[in-house]
């Protein structure tokens, strides 16, 4: 178990585009496990590799305890409808803001064994997928926020 340091707003690495993962290695496997440890320790719902300083296209999401999704090289194939609601980010601690996202997404990704799969997501999971895929492009939710950021309570959802 290893907790990695989460980079925060203002750190240049959060603005860089992440690179594709071409093969699974012991080092990447360790990174993914550390990302889960870091996510759960921070009580977030999603974490992208650039948030721990690694510019690789890897995302971990767990919006429901015990149902984690590892998305390697994710590509959003389809979106439908919209949802508007509060959103936060572990890289912007203590803050939240209103963001409009698709209500449904269909995403292609590879799992920890580099096996491709598709995930259909709605609600919070769809929001988390879009938020984390944005991180891989160097986009933060503060770029999309409607109105001002506000102070978030600890129990608010943090992506
Ligand atoms: Zn985030």
């Amino acid at each position: 178990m290893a907790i990695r340091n989460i980079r925060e707003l203002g750190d240049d690495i959060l603005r860089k585009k992440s690179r594709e993962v071409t093969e699974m290695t012991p080092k990447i496997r360790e990174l993914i496990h550390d990302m889960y440890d870091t996510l759960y320790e921070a009580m977030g719902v999603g974490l992208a590799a650039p948030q721990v300083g690694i510019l690789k296209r890897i995302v971990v999401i767990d919006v429901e305890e015990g149902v984690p999704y590892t998305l390697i090289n994710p590509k959003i194939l389809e979106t439908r409808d919209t949802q508007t609601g509060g959103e936060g980010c572990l890289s912007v601690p203590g803050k939240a803001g209103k963001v409009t996202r698709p209500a449904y997404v269909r995403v292609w990704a590879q799992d920890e064994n580099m096996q491709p799969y598709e995930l259909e997501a709605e609600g919070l999971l769809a929001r988390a997928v879009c938020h984390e895929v944005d991180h891989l492009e160097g986009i933060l939710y503060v770029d999309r926020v409607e109105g001002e950021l506000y102070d978030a309570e600890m129990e608010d959802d943090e992506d």
Side-chain angles (χ1 to χ4, degrees), residues 89-113:
C89 179
L90 294 174
S91 293
V92 190
K95 295 289 178 186
K98 192 167 82 170
V99 183
T100 296
R101 299 283 190 184
Y104 163 94
V105 297
R106 187 162 61 88
V107 60
W108 178 97
Q110 287 162 281
D111 66 14
E112 286 189 40
N113 298 313

Side-chain angles (χ1 to χ4, degrees), residues 41-107:
E41 168 77 11
M43 293 187 294
V45 301
L47 188 70
Q51 291 182 276
V52 293
I54 309 287
L55 290 172
K56 290 188 188 300
R57 302 185 79 82
I58 302 171
V59 161
V60 299
I61 293 174
D62 187 348
V63 297
E64 291 173 80
E65 231 173 301
V67 190
Y69 295 100
T70 303
L71 292 92
I72 299 172
N73 303 323
K75 289 175 184 68
I76 292 174
L77 302 176
E78 188 186 349
T79 66
R80 209 180 293 152
D81 305 325
T82 61
Q83 56 175 324
T84 300
E87 190 165 317
C89 179
L90 294 174
S91 293
V92 190
K95 295 289 178 186
K98 192 167 82 170
V99 183
T100 296
R101 299 283 190 184
Y104 163 94
V105 297
R106 187 162 61 88
V107 60

Side-chain angles (χ1 to χ4, degrees), residues 5-8 10-19 49-56 91 135-140:
N5 184 38
I6 298 177
R7 306 300 185 93
E8 296 186 358
D11 190 319
D12 286 348
I13 205 156
L14 293 174
R15 293 306 191 174
K16 295 194 169 136
K17 203 173 141 102
S18 292
R19 290 178 297 270
Q51 291 182 276
V52 293
I54 309 287
L55 290 172
K56 290 188 188 300
S91 293
H135 272 299
L136 305 181
E137 297 299 320
I139 299 166
L140 298 175

Side-chain angles (χ1 to χ4, degrees), residues 2 4 25-35:
R4 303 217 182 183
T25 63
K27 208 175 160 186
I28 293 176
R29 219 173 265 279
E30 187 186 349
L31 167 66
I32 293 168
H33 292 159
D34 287 355
M35 285 172 67

